[in-house]
Amino acid sequence: MPSFNVQRYGARGDGKTDSTQPFLTAWSLACGSEAPAMVYIPRGTYVVRNLVFWGPCKNIITFKIDGKLVAPDNYWSIGTSEYWILFAKVNRILVYGGIIDARGAGFWSCRKKGGQCPQGARSMTFNWANNVVVTGLTSINSQVTHLVINSCNNVVVRKVKLVAPDQSPNTDGLHVQNSAGVTVTDSTFQTGDDCISIGPGTRNLYMSKLNCGPGHGISIGSLGRDAKEAGVQNITLVNSVFSGSDNGVRIKSWARQSTGFVRNVLFQNLIMKNVQNPIIVDQNYCPNHQGCPKQGSGVKISQVVYRNIQGTSRTQQALKFDCSRSNPCQAIRLHDIKLTFNGRSATSQCKNIKGVKAGVVTPQGCL
């Protein structure tokens, strides 16, 4: 396999030299190769500004990172674009190993002060890409979301670690939207926002063996931001652990008219350790409580199964279903739920919900 080593084109792993252009040159040569090709980043620390890797390429590409990619010190240098590292219209790509560090701290403090700040860059994004594998990647201190999968098909994310401080704003781990056939396994998310956020148009998403926390849990939504919105369906999360997160499994939608829906979801074999809202559906989502729409949410939630979820809640109310008054939650199933608060039974709250329970369900009182 031809290998295009970024150092051959002038990249320096010295932590100082701007290596943006050598990376783009190596990509362009690999992408034009008739044979499967590799872009190789050897050990060292490479400073890179915004990198846009366009396809389609002529054959399979392996992007192998043995070194570390860091953003420049000045957060404006990548923050004025939505993307720090973007792969667009690329089919058949393997991104392997490495550490990427967006050095987000200056940007977060600008955001917290409410100053004049750039919009912030997502660390690594795949747009309109198919047959993608991301494995062994560590992303730290993203300005905003660490890893984005948008309008893609057949994506495998495994053994990734996405890390930002607990209080860093909007540093979601993984965001998936308008994509089908995404698998996420054996990964760790320690962030300031959702570990994984699942946006409109996501279908056939399978998640397993994940560790989430700190962060805001694994969220479907927020949905219903737009009146015409693609639905979310066939979502599976199994065999995962939430530690100290603000939420466990959450579905959230704005209280306004929408064509959106959520259906055929399975949450199974989950452990909650000191989680604020282990199971929550919030169809009156409005994070800053300003100008909240007061309609019933048009997002229709149905066929959601919660099975074998146990552990501890940080608040007394461990189960909350605040469903839409105009479109109640339908066919919700609670099966073998055991959530406690301070060593005793927790409580539950239900509005506008139809469903069944089976096995032992504590807290009781819902359904």
Side-chain angles (χ1 to χ4, degrees):
M1 175 190 297
S3 175
F4 298 88
N5 182 327
V6 293
Q7 288 192 351
R8 199 186 307 158
Y9 309 102
R12 296 275 171 272
D14 58 10
K16 299 193 291 269
T17 307
D18 184 334
S19 295
T20 309
Q21 198 50 51
F23 272 69
L24 295 172
T25 301
W27 173 265
S28 157
L29 293 165
C31 188
S33 165
E34 299 283 353
M38 177 186 287
V39 173
Y40 180 59
I41 297 107
R43 292 191 170 183
T45 299
Y46 301 86
V47 178
V48 288
R49 287 172 289 113
N50 306 90
L51 292 170
V52 180
F53 299 122
W54 278 102
C57 297
K58 290 193 172 165
N59 210 316
I60 298 168
I61 302 272
T62 301
F63 195 91
K64 188 168 193 298
I65 311 172
D66 280 344
K68 181 177 184 180
L69 276 54
V70 299
D73 274 337
N74 182 347
Y75 57 84
W76 281 91
S77 69
I78 66 165
T80 53
S81 162
E82 276 180 70
Y83 313 106
W84 178 28
I85 302 165
L86 168 65
F87 295 91
K89 297 194 174 173
V90 181
N91 298 322
R92 298 184 300 168
I93 178 163
L94 167 65
V95 176
Y96 192 89
I99 298 171
I100 60 173
D101 179 359
R103 297 187 184 179
F107 174 75
W108 308 326
S109 88
C110 180
R111 285 284 285 270
K112 283 181 179 166
K113 288 182 191 132
Q116 191 69 31
C117 314
Q119 61 181 346
R122 298 150 169 183
S123 285
M124 185 177 284
T125 301
F126 294 85
N127 278 351
W128 317 293
N130 301 311
N131 304 318
V132 174
V133 177
V134 180
T135 184
L137 176 76
T138 298
S139 170
I140 60 178
N141 299 329
S142 59
Q143 289 191 346
V144 284
T145 309
H146 288 266
L147 181 59
V148 177
I149 296 165
N150 174 41
S151 303
C152 298
N153 294 293
N154 301 334
V155 179
V156 174
V157 176
R158 64 170 175 252
K159 296 195 164 91
V160 303
K161 192 169 182 188
L162 309 179
V163 182
D166 192 3
Q167 295 303 314
S168 53
N170 298 109
T171 51
D172 294 57
L174 169 65
H175 179 68
V176 183
Q177 66 180 31
N178 290 321
S179 296
V182 178
T183 300
V184 188
T185 58
D186 300 292
S187 295
T188 297
F189 305 88
Q190 300 167 323
T191 63
D193 207 307
D194 292 340
C195 293
I196 298 179
S197 63
I198 300 159
T202 302
R203 54 198 192 283
N204 305 339
L205 167 62
Y206 178 84
M207 300 167 282
S208 171
K209 297 187 195 156
L210 306 181
N211 288 299
C212 168
H216 295 179
I218 292 181
S219 294
I220 296 177
S222 56
L223 303 176
R225 197 178 289 263
D226 299 318
K228 281 202 165 70
E229 192 174 85
V232 173
Q233 59 190 327
N234 305 343
I235 309 295
T236 302
L237 170 68
V238 294
N239 306 334
S240 295
V241 178
F242 295 78
S243 309
S245 51
D246 285 8
N247 303 287
V249 288
R250 173 166 66 156
I251 302 173
K252 54 181 178 171
S253 75
W254 294 81
R256 59 165 67 101
Q257 291 307 303
S258 173
T259 58
F261 61 83
V262 176
R263 63 173 171 248
N264 197 13
V265 177
L266 174 64
F267 297 120
Q268 179 172 291
N269 301 344
L270 307 180
I271 294 169
M272 304 286 169
K273 298 178 178 174
N274 192 32
V275 171
Q276 193 161 321
N277 300 298
I279 295 174
I280 178 168
V281 174
D282 179 6
Q283 290 206 266
N284 291 293
Y285 179 71
C286 187
N288 299 321
H289 304 294
Q290 287 169 344
C292 299
K294 293 282 189 268
Q295 307 145 41
S297 173
V299 176
K300 296 170 184 61
I301 298 173
S302 63
Q303 299 162 329
V304 184
V305 176
Y306 300 87
R307 183 183 288 131
N308 188 26
I309 299 177
Q310 41 195 301
T312 56
S313 175
R314 197 157 70 236
T315 52
Q316 192 160 10
Q317 188 174 284
L319 258 77
K320 181 180 181 183
F321 291 94
D322 184 5
C323 296
S324 166
R325 61 176 191 268
S326 49
N327 294 287
C329 296
Q330 307 274 356
I332 307 301
R333 184 180 175 90
L334 296 171
H335 196 294
D336 292 336
I337 309 291
K338 190 180 177 196
L339 294 166
T340 59
F341 167 68
N342 279 351
R344 56 184 192 273
S345 190
T347 61
S348 61
Q349 179 195 347
C350 285
K351 284 184 194 162
N352 310 316
I353 175 174
K354 293 174 182 165
V356 294
K357 58 184 180 183
V360 177
V361 175
T362 57
Q364 299 174 350
C366 259
L367 299 182

